[in-house]
Amino acid sequence: MLYLSLGTNLGNRHENINRACALIGERIGTVVRKATPVETAPVGFESDNLFVNTAVAVDTTMTLAEVLHATQQIERDMGRTVKSKDGVYHDRIIDIDLLASDNRMVCTPSLQLPHPEMTDRLFVLEPLAEIAPEWCHPLYGKTIRQLLDVRRRCHIVPLKADDCSTPLLDSVNTLLAQLSSNFVPLTLAQLTTLAHEPRTHIYLLYTPQGTLAGTATLCLCHQLTGNKAWVEDVVVDAAQRGKGYARMLLDHLMFQARRHGAATANLTSRPQRVAANRLYQSLGFELRETNVYKMGLADEAAALKS
């Protein structure tokens, strides 16, 4: 089964949805199920025009490349001339995204399945949960119903350089101070530099009220023994603990590690962190019989620079 997301915020929006569904039925395959259209605010850009969004399940014999070409042609035939690119979004008469095709995983320059941003978007998850609540995401290992529940309870986003600001820095430092009494607060320049690091991915967890409640870092390493991911600096604010946020952060990091091709995920944890260690093991991390050695290099590095 193929799942598509449809959205429109120009013209007669409900008529646009109906026409797009009709064209999908004519050119791609049988529309087996269609979610109730919902009105949503624009995401990623500002506009006075609200969207109408829905999702459809389509039974098709076409290849994914053929489906992609067909959806893009439908968009053009309906009057869309500009595609969103590099995070720049526009008002549009119709937008058709391929979300998933059964349990297939695809990663090409023109198509990624499941859609890499679908779990972040309520306007995608809510309609999809209506028509395919038990479809299981092959990378998360969770159903759409479960992913929607997580998304309603929090929002996890990557740290971007453009988002770095003094208020965000203060919130991040407040969190990190709860990890260690020896923590040295970051500067805004340091946080911005980290946001630019291509192999370091910092994720921020926000509550539905917009409060920064947690953070975690995923470091990706290409090594002689394979691609590995390291999980670092996982912390949830003390006032927000007990809500499952740490599990949600780690689930998200494991999803991202798989997306980036990591063969293993690794982390270190002190034996005294009983609750954290129990969580790691419940997620599938195995305690290894290894020694972890640490050498402080800050003083030597400072001496070299002087």
Side-chain angles (χ1 to χ4, degrees):
M1 193 66 65
L2 176 70
Y3 298 103
L4 306 177
S5 173
L6 287 73
T8 170
N9 74 330
L10 291 177
N12 187 323
R13 299 168 300 165
H14 287 278
E15 184 178 303
N16 293 341
I17 292 292
N18 290 335
R19 185 183 176 203
C21 287
L23 291 172
I24 289 169
E26 292 174 8
R27 303 182 186 182
I28 298 176
T30 303
V31 177
V32 179
R33 292 186 295 277
K34 174 188 172 187
T36 305
V38 294
E39 192 172 66
T40 63
V43 174
F45 74 109
E46 295 184 2
S47 174
D48 294 330
N49 304 315
L50 296 178
F51 276 83
V52 168
N53 292 98
T54 190
V56 295
V58 182
D59 186 9
T60 181
T61 58
M62 295 173 64
T63 68
L64 291 175
E66 291 171 338
V67 171
L68 180 62
H69 176 77
T71 58
Q72 292 172 342
Q73 187 60 52
I74 291 171
E75 290 177 335
R76 288 191 291 269
D77 290 347
M78 289 185 62
R80 185 174 183 182
T81 58
V82 179
K83 288 289 287 184
S84 302
K85 187 177 180 181
D86 298 328
V88 179
Y89 299 97
H90 310 273
D91 291 327
R92 41 208 183 267
I93 193 165
I94 194 66
D95 185 25
I96 306 173
D97 284 333
L98 279 68
L99 299 179
S101 177
D102 293 322
N103 292 322
R104 296 178 63 182
M105 290 186 286
V106 179
C107 185
T108 69
S110 59
L111 181 64
Q112 293 185 59
L113 292 182
H115 194 293
E117 297 178 354
M118 63 182 291
T119 57
D120 296 331
R121 297 172 171 177
L122 280 173
F123 66 85
V124 170
L125 289 174
E126 288 177 341
L128 189 57
E130 180 182 332
I131 64 171
E134 300 307 317
W135 179 79
C136 188
H137 196 295
L139 291 177
Y140 270 108
K142 295 182 181 296
T143 66
I144 288 298
R145 192 197 306 274
Q146 292 171 323
L147 290 171
L148 175 58
D149 178 64
V150 169
R151 179 60 185 84
R152 284 173 170 166
R153 294 164 61 192
C154 70
H155 189 204
I156 301 173
V157 298
L159 174 68
K160 297 180 180 178
D162 292 344
D163 298 331
C164 294
S165 64
T166 299
L168 177 61
L169 174 69
D170 292 341
S171 297
V172 170
N173 279 331
T174 298
L175 284 173
L176 294 178
Q178 299 176 47
L179 274 177
S180 170
S181 58
N182 298 321
F183 169 68
V184 177
L186 295 169
T187 66
L188 186 57
Q190 288 173 322
L191 186 66
T192 304
T193 297
L194 286 170
H196 281 294
E197 287 288 341
R199 308 298 294 178
T200 300
H201 302 265
I202 300 171
Y203 294 94
L204 308 173
L205 183 148
Y206 289 92
T207 68
Q209 294 74 35
T211 301
L212 181 62
T215 185
T217 301
L218 182 70
C219 300
L220 300 167
C221 308
H222 291 309
Q223 299 179 339
L224 292 174
T225 52
N227 296 337
K228 300 177 182 180
W230 289 88
V231 176
E232 300 285 350
D233 302 333
V234 180
V235 59
V236 172
D237 185 75
Q240 301 286 350
R241 292 173 189 169
K243 300 179 181 180
Y245 286 158
R247 178 179 293 273
M248 295 175 195
L249 267 172
L250 288 164
D251 276 342
H252 191 76
L253 262 64
M254 294 307 96
F255 164 68
Q256 296 296 338
R258 294 185 187 100
R259 272 193 62 215
H260 288 283
T264 62
N266 307 269
L267 57 80
T268 59
S269 180
R270 295 188 301 275
Q272 297 88 338
R273 301 184 66 202
V274 176
N277 294 331
R278 189 180 301 121
L279 170 62
Y280 301 148
Q281 292 177 22
S282 73
L283 289 170
F285 285 90
E286 298 178 357
L287 180 63
R288 300 182 63 189
E289 295 296 330
T290 61
N291 294 324
V292 177
Y293 298 92
K294 178 179 178 181
M295 176 185 291
L297 302 176
D299 293 339
E300 289 84 347
L304 289 172
K305 290 181 180 180
S306 63

